Amino acid sequence: MRYLALVTDYDGTLSSDGSVPEQVVRALERLRVSGRRAILVTGRRLDDLLAICPCALLFDLVVAENGAIVYDPASREETRLANPPPKLLVQRLQARGVTPLEIGQVLVATHAPHRAAVQDVIWELGLEAQVIGNRGAVMVLPAGINKATGLEHALRKLGLSRHEVVGVGDAENDHSFLACCECAVAVANATPSIKQIVDFTTAAENGDGVVELIDALIADDLRHLAGSLPQNQILLGKRADGSAVRISPYGHNLLVAGPSGCGKSTFAAGIIERLVEKDYQVCIVDPEGDYGALRNVVALGNQWRAPSVDEVLAILGDPKINLSVNLLGIPLDDRPDFFASLIPHLQAMRARTGRPHWLVVDEAHHMLPDTWGHAASVLPQHLHETLLVTVHPDHVARAILDPIDVVVAIGHAPERTLEKFARATEKPFEWSAVPAYQADRVVAWFSGEGQAPFSMQALPGRAERIRHHRKYAEGNLRWHSFYFRGPDDRHNLKAQNLVVFCQIAQGIDESTWMYHLRRGDYSRWFRHAIKDDVLADETARIEDRTDLAPWQTRQMIQELIHARYTLPE
């Protein structure tokens, strides 16, 4: 099920002349039977609404007073999201003869002809307040309070994201909450300004328009809109002619593949950043700790502490939190089994809440190898909204690769990367159709749409990051480790990361330290294993100097490492 909740305005949308027709009540009952949630958002005071609305119990939550009050009809619990109106404001409006004057728990409302008087009083008192129009009404609310803020509080309380929501309204004060919904709808009697911002308008007016929308939701989940909401699409890059390459955030699976060190993680991080910017929740399965430094992403686990499935699910329960699950604390051979235990819970969570919206699996050839016999039984038949990152696409389990419909080949041999994917999935492939390698471009293949591969300028993330920062600082480089051996191989001291390298460098004897320094071993390791050309270049300058004492070279190289990687004390 794509859309899990309907959010509707009351006056002029759900109701006609303040009352809700019987056919609208029955439609709301069908909506609830379909398994969807319902939220009512209104500018009315709560007491006034409950006195005239016969179907309040059909809603999970009611957002009243234009976003200032959230009410649970089942428990009758009220949550006030702002302070009551200042008494002086009410007194001044009354003194000016503003009538009628409705005073709620937070909201103050009157009719449109009094707008100038209301604004004058707010100015005279120096209040941080806003005046909101609603057809013939004028409402005064604290700054920052509107239907969108009330809806956000309600959705978070229900454990839902705005991306699982269809919203429907008719008037000016509905603009804020409709802009928050994944899909915005106007009833036929809506104001022109509302019709301009929505994704479509119903043929019928008022409650009949809501019935029309509910029936369409139940019938096919608004399938005719799939992939056609441009405000939600995710930018991947640009073609040679400058046109944007975008994908819908739903219904796609991506593979980012290429040789080690070619920029796969950087490209994936850019996609993650743009998903997060649009409030799509991302869960990253991060075997080497490469993504923990991303902004607005919480890192769980490290090389000393393995994460648990229960912790992952508890953190993802908040729709505002994105998560990187660091697996450095789990032995390499055990990581596929951890993923096998995690994925069914994530799929169940997706069925219930629609989240996490995207699953990112780095080092997919290790996490989901073709030798792993559980892939077909563990994964759902239809895997959606997943991004795989791998050096070896042909070493990933076939059951994982089959749903992939977009491949991005990065590195000097894109034709070989695409051929490995095509051979593993038995998809038609022509070498001649692959563009030649260009240093500043990647090759994208929308195989699910039958398009030929094309060259694309990748869009980098805005946040600067050192590639694989935590893995190189604190992780385990295994066969890429540095070995302090010295002349005549008198030692065999392994430095599996930069922390250990600095620790050994402090205590190793002078002859061993200078042996590797004069051979250029340190800069060579930094360049080829750590993949940090800046660190390698600066270290090479130190290695070439003959005017420095051994202790000075140790100190300078360690300070370079500390400056770039902020090593733990």
Side-chain angles (χ1 to χ4, degrees), residues 487-509:
D488 303 322
D489 290 334
R490 68 180 66 169
H491 302 295
N492 190 31
L493 302 176
K494 176 182 177 181
Q496 67 265 32
N497 56 47
L498 291 170
V499 170
V500 178
F501 177 90
C502 289
Q503 290 172 346
I504 296 176
Q506 288 176 349
I508 196 71
D509 61 90

Side-chain angles (χ1 to χ4, degrees), residues 93-94 96-102 109-111 113-114:
L93 291 175
Q94 290 171 336
R96 287 200 177 212
V98 175
T99 181
L101 190 62
E102 297 183 15
T110 185
H111 291 170
H114 298 295

Side-chain angles (χ1 to χ4, degrees), residues 183-260:
C183 177
V185 182
V187 287
N189 56 294
T191 61
S193 63
I194 291 296
K195 289 182 178 180
Q196 289 177 358
I197 66 160
V198 297
D199 299 303
F200 72 93
T201 300
T202 63
E205 297 183 350
N206 303 109
D208 290 334
V210 177
V211 173
E212 179 185 328
L213 174 59
I214 288 174
D215 289 342
L217 271 171
I218 295 173
D220 64 3
D221 230 7
L222 303 183
R223 187 169 294 128
H224 68 285
L225 293 177
S228 65
L229 304 179
Q231 71 272 19
N232 300 322
Q233 293 184 342
I234 306 301
L235 183 62
L236 294 185
K238 294 182 179 180
R239 292 177 181 264
D241 61 3
S243 60
V245 180
R246 303 177 187 272
I247 62 167
S248 167
Y250 291 92
H252 285 293
N253 295 292
L254 274 69
L255 174 69
V256 177
S260 179

Side-chain angles (χ1 to χ4, degrees), residues 411-473:
H412 60 271
E415 70 284 351
R416 295 188 180 277
T417 298
L418 295 182
E419 183 198 19
K420 290 178 181 179
F421 168 76
R423 191 188 314 121
T425 56
E426 300 180 3
K427 293 187 177 182
F429 176 76
E430 295 183 14
W431 277 63
S432 59
V434 182
Y437 167 70
Q438 294 177 266
D440 60 341
R441 294 185 174 271
V442 301
V443 173
W445 183 22
F446 283 65
S447 60
E449 300 177 10
Q451 295 185 20
F454 60 90
S455 180
M456 180 178 75
Q457 180 182 358
L459 184 67
R462 289 186 299 181
E464 183 180 354
R465 90 192 246 277
I466 298 175
R467 183 183 178 272
H468 292 192
H469 181 286
R470 293 191 177 182
K471 177 175 72 174
Y472 295 136

